[in-house]
Amino acid sequence: MEHKQQMKGKLGKTIQVRLVSDLKKSQEYYRDVLGCKIDGWGHAERDEMIIILQQSISPEDVRPNAVSKKRLDYPTDWEGPEFGWTRIFTLVGMT
C-alpha cells in the first residue's frame, strides 16, 4: 500500500472521549484524585489534558482494550504491554 504524505494544516490538541459506567463517580475521581476541573459538559481538564467523560448505557459497555500483539521491532527489548491500555499521560515537572 502506497501512502502519500499530505500536510493540511496543523493538528491541534487531542481530546479523548471515555465511556464510563458511573459518570458522577468518574467526575469525582478526575476532580478529587487527578486534580482536574470538571466543566458543565462533564469534561475533565487539567493542564494540556482534556477528557470528555460519557455515561455508558450499560456497565458491560465499558471495557479496556484487549492485549495487543507483541512486537519484536521496538528499539529496545520491550515487546509491548502485558495488558490492554487506552491512554498514556505524561507528567511534566514532578519532583
Side-chain angles (χ1 to χ4, degrees), residues 49-63:
M49 179 192 76
I50 299 176
I51 298 177
I52 298 173
L53 300 169
Q54 295 287 301
Q55 175 65 54
S56 66
I57 293 172
S58 168
E60 291 78 32
D61 294 335
V62 181
R63 55 189 175 275

Side-chain angles (χ1 to χ4, degrees), residues 25-71:
K25 283 185 180 179
S26 297
Q27 289 173 332
E28 290 170 352
Y29 176 82
Y30 277 85
R31 183 191 65 225
D32 300 341
V33 176
L34 298 180
C36 295
K37 179 185 111 197
I38 307 296
D39 68 14
W41 291 92
H43 301 168
E45 184 171 352
R46 178 178 160 196
D47 305 318
E48 295 296 316
M49 179 192 76
I50 299 176
I51 298 177
I52 298 173
L53 300 169
Q54 295 287 301
Q55 175 65 54
S56 66
I57 293 172
S58 168
E60 291 78 32
D61 294 335
V62 181
R63 55 189 175 275
N65 289 342
V67 177
S68 59
K69 181 179 178 180
K70 299 297 182 192
R71 287 179 43 188

Side-chain angles (χ1 to χ4, degrees), residues 16-30:
Q16 296 187 32
V17 178
R18 290 287 154 232
L19 192 62
V20 298
S21 58
D22 188 321
L23 182 60
K24 183 173 173 51
K25 283 185 180 179
S26 297
Q27 289 173 332
E28 290 170 352
Y29 176 82
Y30 277 85

